[in-house]
Amino acid sequence: MHQDWIWGLVGGGLIGLAGAVYLLGNGRIMGASGIIGGLVDGTGRDTLWERLAFLAGVIVLPVLLTPLYAQQIATNITDNWLVIVVAGLLVGVGARIANGCTSGHGVCGISRFSLRGIVATVFYILAGGLAVALFRHVLGVI
Amino acid sequence: MRILLALLSGSLFGAGLFVSGMTDTTKVQGWLDVFGDWDPTLAFVMGGAILPMMVAWHLTRGRSPLAGGTFPALPKPEFDRRLIVGSVLFGVGWGLAGLCPGPAVASLSYGGTGGLVFMAAMLVGMGAAPTLAARLDRFESPA
């Protein structure tokens, strides 16, 4: 759709506002992988409830907004289970080893001109672009 | 207070991911697909998110967080093996499925079984990361 970019900008603004509230309010960097990962490996035990509250908001708002949309909402994720499992493992491992993902390194890092955030973003976009080129156009798996 | 602010932030984050279309894997893969039918939406989302965050970083100067405490100590600009290897692994997974951690959580209510399996695999990966990262460090240090 031609107005996709407007919704992208609006949604992006909300994401930036979310990061601003988390930073200015709680004094923490809003990174999805950090917030979830701290629950998995136990490093976030002392901030358990604010992590759970954040994730509750992330899950519930789309539930509330879905009825406002006329068209069917879908992730259109592949039905190739092997691809889903491998991709999930890589996303989980990679984001935690790199200490950040699209929200932490991308949004919060680039906005303060963090070199680590910029370098991470360049590498994961290049790797993602190569993965799509290889697995879609060469191998035809996705 | 901290919990309410976290809920507010999470709600804004969930709403933003939803309306921006970033929980649609075809839009994310479309952005990465420079050799195919390229979709620029993700760039607008990133730009739209970075602007308010730039203001927020500016406002941290000379202030303390609303809920008390201090702003986080920022890491030194070092590019270690963890940052590069981790980002490459993350990027390959991101390209393969078109999902990253935020949208994976935001789409749980409508992502179907595929979304749940992705989430489960992602949590397993996150659980394994500390061990793998430590192994990566050992590999780096000279024998």
Side-chain angles (χ1 to χ4, degrees), chain B residues 8 14 31-32 41 47 76 90 141:
Chain B
L8 172 65
W31 148 263
L32 292 169
T41 311
K76 281 189 213 125
F90 168 75
S141 55

Side-chain angles (χ1 to χ4, degrees), chain B residues 112-131:
Chain B
T113 322
L116 291 173
V117 171
F118 180 88
M119 175 61 70
M122 187 180 91
L123 294 177
V124 170
M126 285 180 166
T131 316

Side-chain angles (χ1 to χ4, degrees), chain A residues 38-105:
Chain A
L39 293 173
V40 176
D41 60 26
T43 50
R45 213 170 286 154
D46 43 344
T47 46
L48 175 75
W49 290 106
E50 59 185 87
R51 286 167 195 263
L52 290 177
F54 179 88
L55 293 173
V58 180
I59 295 172
V60 169
L61 253 286
V63 176
L64 300 177
L65 291 172
T66 304
L68 306 177
Y69 280 69
Q71 77 271 35
Q72 181 74 30
I73 307 291
T75 56
N76 300 311
I77 195 167
T78 171
D79 47 17
N80 184 329
W81 296 105
L82 184 63
V83 170
I84 294 180
V85 170
V86 171
L89 287 170
L90 287 172
V91 165
V93 158
R96 286 303 276 163
I97 291 181
N99 201 24
C101 57
T102 349
S103 46
H105 278 314

